[in-house]
Amino acid sequence: MSALLTVEDLRVRFPTRTGVVEAVRGVSFTLGRERLGIVGESGSGKSQTGRAIMGLTPSHAEVTAKTLSFGGIDLISAPPKVRRDLRGKRIAMILQDPKYSLNPVMSIGRQIVETLRRHENVSRSEARGRALDMLAAVQIRDPARVFDLYPHEVSGGMGQRAMIAMMLVAGPELLIADEPTSALDVTVQLEVLSILDKLVADRGMGLIFVSHDLRLVSSFCDRVLVMYAGKIVEEIAASDLASAKHPYTQGLLNCMPVIGADRHPLPVLDRKPEWAL
Amino acid sequence: MTTAVSVKNLTVSYDDFKALDDVGVDVTAGESFGLVGESGSGKSTLLRAVAGLAPVTEGTIRVENWQLRGARRDKAFYRSVQMVFQDPYGSLHPRQTVDRQLLEPLAIHGVGDGERRILKALDEVGLGSGFRFRYPHQLSGGQRQRIAIARALILEPSILLLDEPTSALDASVQAEVLNLLEQVRRDRKLTFIMVSHDLGVVTHMCDRLAVMQNGRVVERLSSADLVAGRIGEDYTRNLMVASKGFRRG
Ligand SMILES: Nc1ncnc2c1ncn2[C@@H]1O[C@H](COP(=O)(O)OP(=O)(O)OP(=O)(O)O)[C@@H](O)[C@H]1O
Ligand SMILES: Nc1ncnc2c1ncn2[C@@H]1O[C@H](COP(=O)(O)OP(=O)(O)OP(=O)(O)O)[C@@H](O)[C@H]1O
Ligand SMILES: [Mg+2]
Ligand SMILES: [Mg+2]
């Protein structure tokens, strides 16, 4: 499989008043036209890894990598204009807090329309039609009503789906989805996943799927990276997740509340300092 | 058994749209009650209505001894009832440090011993004192969610409204937070109303639950019934099937 994205020794550091926070500490992986899952501890650097690939790291932070290339373009040395042009069109990211990443003073529908028109030469009415279709595809009950709502007027899961619609409307080659379905009920979740699945299978999109939902990741993704304290501690075929080797991953599987199991309190991890070395 | 929260015939409207349509829920003191259902069905709106944050057009809400009308809530109400919002980003003040956000409820309600309470609250949600002087944008999604939980717990309320409180947490931190919530509920006889789309979480935490769709409660059942498949509505059954994971094809 030819690599769409190559990441080698990616590091993200934040200088703060109380010292440097090393959010990402040497992450390496390649991505083809596949579904790559990233799971990991809260604060382990999943979102910052995605943001660095997108070029959305806050400006005061330091990003370094031996290689960070997308479709033959060296992202580290690429001028800001090249990165801006890639963003949204060829690489898209569904951010973890969608309602607060959307523009608060523009209606949901207009944001999708503007995104589409920025990347494609389509008429206003065609754009509107495609935006409505996209909202319907992500299972929004009444697309015409939601089209005119502002971000603060939609539910958590509707905001998430609006952001998904906006990111998919331009047809990216690489989609980084950061917890894209965490606010969706399970039936809608599966509908949205099957849209993403089709884009990978039919259009050859590369997908990075960040999620803490192990059941979804193991049933939906091809491969899984497990992150802990800024590093990848394990890489495993998604279908083999249940037989993971790293004690963090094993512990994760054991901590989940399972329907029908009556375990009070839930088992918790005994985190070893050497995991974070 | 006393009723902690009683919602009757509640309707919440935004212009012509009914976000809640004749909804009723009764929650016993000390109980943990779950809300599950379709995205956009009105789960957050129901919690927000109880907290006085949604435009109620019909129906009544009683919380402990408060018979509530409109959106007015007195200070004592917010000492007793705390809410963890679904979007922690939106509920935390962007320009205040974690320390300020935890101190503020204590100051408003004249609770002393702030230093000790703040350190304890951070520790309980698995965040060390290193996070105390960070701003919300300097935290990961799950870290922000844990600050929101710490802030709701710091006043030791008697009723907690929890809107997807662990949706941004990995399974290991989620287990710690759920254990913490269960422990404080036991120790302080707390009442919970908890929204979650994760049926594993809801059945673990709640005795009874209501299933919502399109602004209405479509089914009320116990967690035991749900687990055993004693389900009345197709919609609820679909949720159970979908919670098994993704199937290609
Ligand atoms: N602006 C910042 N200044 C300092 N530290 C930061 C900043 N932004 C993020 N961090 C830290 O970087 C680390 C990685 O954050 P990141 O958001 O990538 O975590 P994550 O794996 O996505 O976690 P979650 O699952 O909770 O969303 C966290 O410990 C976070 O506190
Ligand atoms: N200020 C508002 N103006 C217009 N409509 C609103 C407003 N606030 C909420 N709504 C609508 O009320 C409905 C219910 O929203 P609510 O947030 O309660 O859903 P939810 O069940 O919590 O969904 P989710 O699981 O996605 O969070 C949605 O259709 C939403 O668009
Ligand atoms: Mg994150
Ligand atoms: Mg909600």
Side-chain angles (χ1 to χ4, degrees):
Chain A
M1 208 184 309
S2 69
L4 182 65
L5 176 75
T6 306
V7 180
E8 202 186 343
D9 199 24
L10 176 69
R11 292 168 188 272
V12 180
R13 293 187 199 84
F14 291 95
T16 70
R17 245 175 299 168
T18 47
V20 175
V21 174
E22 297 197 61
V24 181
R25 304 186 302 143
V27 160
S28 305
F29 64 92
T30 58
L31 177 81
R33 304 190 181 273
E34 60 176 324
R35 296 152 283 244
L36 176 69
I38 302 185
V39 304
E41 179 148 85
S42 170
S44 62
K46 305 180 295 294
S47 297
Q48 291 302 335
T49 297
R51 284 178 166 269
I53 296 167
M54 268 303 268
L56 291 177
T57 309
S59 59
H60 68 280
E62 183 187 81
V63 180
T64 61
K66 283 209 191 84
T67 317
L68 187 63
S69 76
F70 165 76
I73 302 167
D74 176 10
L75 296 177
I76 293 283
S77 65
K81 163 133 184 26
V82 172
R83 299 209 79 178
R84 254 197 324 273
D85 290 345
L86 284 175
R87 236 186 341 257
K89 178 63 195 159
R90 296 186 62 195
I91 311 181
M93 181 164 176
I94 297 164
L95 295 164
Q96 189 173 8
D97 291 287
K99 276 179 76 173
Y100 295 89
S101 318
L102 293 167
N103 183 345
V105 295
M106 200 192 279
S107 74
I108 299 277
R110 228 184 108 200
Q111 295 190 50
I112 302 175
V113 164
E114 302 235 324
T115 309
L116 179 57
R117 280 167 60 89
R118 205 160 40 239
H119 299 293
E120 248 180 80
N121 193 6
V122 291
S123 72
R124 206 156 265 291
S125 68
E126 188 193 335
R128 184 186 160 87
R130 276 178 54 190
L132 286 168
D133 288 348
M134 209 46 161
L135 288 173
V138 293
Q139 307 291 310
I140 295 281
R141 241 176 204 274
D142 184 354
R145 179 180 78 93
V146 175
F147 190 95
D148 291 322
L149 294 180
Y150 287 83
H152 72 274
E153 298 174 325
V154 298
S155 79
M158 287 158 69
Q160 218 160 35
R161 286 178 282 161
M163 180 119 199
I164 294 172
M166 196 157 113
M167 292 304 134
L168 292 183
V169 81
E173 292 159 60
L174 168 63
L175 177 67
I176 304 165
D178 194 356
E179 301 277 8
T181 63
S182 63
L184 301 181
D185 65 86
V186 281
T187 55
V188 170
Q189 210 170 56
L190 297 189
E191 301 279 356
V192 168
L193 286 187
S194 61
I195 296 177
L196 298 180
D197 199 51
K198 270 204 208 77
L199 292 173
V200 175
D202 302 348
R203 286 231 316 266
M205 184 180 81
L207 175 66
I208 297 178
F209 185 80
V210 178
S211 173
H212 63 85
D213 188 329
L214 299 173
R215 218 173 289 118
L216 270 196
V217 167
S218 65
S219 57
F220 176 69
C221 294
D222 303 303
R223 268 191 307 148
V224 184
L225 305 177
V226 183
M227 286 188 69
Y228 189 87
K231 286 191 173 169
I232 295 173
V233 296
E234 182 159 20
E235 180 188 331
I236 190 165
S239 51
D240 294 341
L241 199 62
S243 45
K245 299 264 171 335
H246 194 278
Y248 169 70
T249 324
Q250 289 173 345
L252 265 192
L253 292 160
N254 188 36
C255 292
M256 283 196 298
V258 179
I259 300 173
D262 197 15
R263 301 186 296 169
H264 299 266
L266 289 164
V268 294
L269 277 186
D270 180 16
R271 296 184 181 78
K272 299 279 191 272
E274 59 266 28
W275 297 356
L277 290 181
Chain B
M1 276 198 298
T2 52
T3 306
V5 178
S6 173
V7 171
K8 289 199 194 326
N9 308 106
L10 193 71
T11 299
V12 168
S13 307
Y14 296 98
D15 300 324
D16 297 337
F17 177 78
K18 284 185 180 171
L20 290 180
D21 186 2
D22 195 18
V23 165
V25 167
D26 279 300
V27 183
T28 308
E31 182 186 18
S32 177
F33 188 88
L35 289 174
V36 303
E38 195 183 13
S39 169
S41 62
K43 305 179 297 295
S44 299
T45 303
L46 180 51
L47 295 193
R48 296 173 64 91
V50 172
L53 301 169
V56 171
T57 44
E58 263 173 77
T60 58
I61 303 173
R62 196 165 61 76
V63 175
E64 291 179 340
N65 292 321
W66 287 279
Q67 185 66 51
L68 300 163
R69 263 173 222 90
R72 288 260 310 276
R73 304 287 185 273
D74 58 21
K75 199 164 121 182
F77 179 89
Y78 289 115
R79 177 81 203 254
S80 292
V81 182
Q82 285 283 312
M83 176 157 175
V84 176
F85 292 88
Q86 186 172 10
D87 304 292
Y89 223 141
S91 63
L92 296 177
H93 193 295
R95 294 215 179 70
Q96 287 183 0
T97 62
V98 166
D99 185 66
R100 268 285 296 284
Q101 322 224 16
L102 294 177
L103 195 59
E104 193 164 86
L106 297 174
I108 289 174
H109 294 280
V111 181
D113 206 10
E115 175 83 12
R116 189 189 60 83
R117 281 176 195 265
I118 288 173
L119 290 173
K120 174 163 168 271
L122 284 175
D123 183 58
E124 279 180 340
V125 294
L127 295 174
S129 53
F131 289 91
R132 188 170 167 190
F133 296 104
R134 296 250 192 117
Y135 291 89
H137 71 269
Q138 297 177 312
L139 301 171
S140 78
Q143 289 164 348
R144 275 194 290 272
Q145 196 166 40
R146 286 183 273 165
I147 296 298
I149 292 171
R151 193 178 55 178
L153 286 176
I154 205 163
L155 279 176
E156 306 195 349
S158 56
I159 297 176
L160 261 185
L161 309 174
L162 300 159
D163 198 350
E164 302 273 14
T166 62
S167 63
L169 303 178
D170 69 288
S172 71
V173 176
Q174 168 171 277
E176 287 158 17
V177 168
L178 294 181
N179 287 346
L180 167 70
L181 289 173
E182 285 209 301
Q183 189 198 326
V184 295
R185 185 163 79 91
R186 219 176 21 245
D187 294 352
R188 302 190 212 139
K189 310 264 181 300
L190 275 180
T191 307
F192 288 171
I193 306 182
M194 179 167 176
V195 175
S196 174
H197 66 82
D198 184 328
L199 296 183
V201 169
V202 177
T203 51
H204 177 81
M205 295 294 290
C206 303
D207 320 308
R208 294 188 304 141
L209 51 116
V211 183
M212 295 187 64
Q213 192 181 22
N214 211 7
R216 290 173 162 269
V217 172
V218 294
E219 182 164 13
R220 293 180 186 72
L221 70 177
S222 69
S223 288
D225 282 343
L226 187 68
V227 168
R230 289 187 290 271
I231 296 170
E233 292 292 318
D234 284 342
Y235 179 68
T236 313
R237 218 167 279 123
N238 291 344
L239 283 180
M240 277 301 269
V241 172
S243 69
K244 295 199 166 55
F246 184 75
R247 280 180 175 218
R248 198 151 277 127

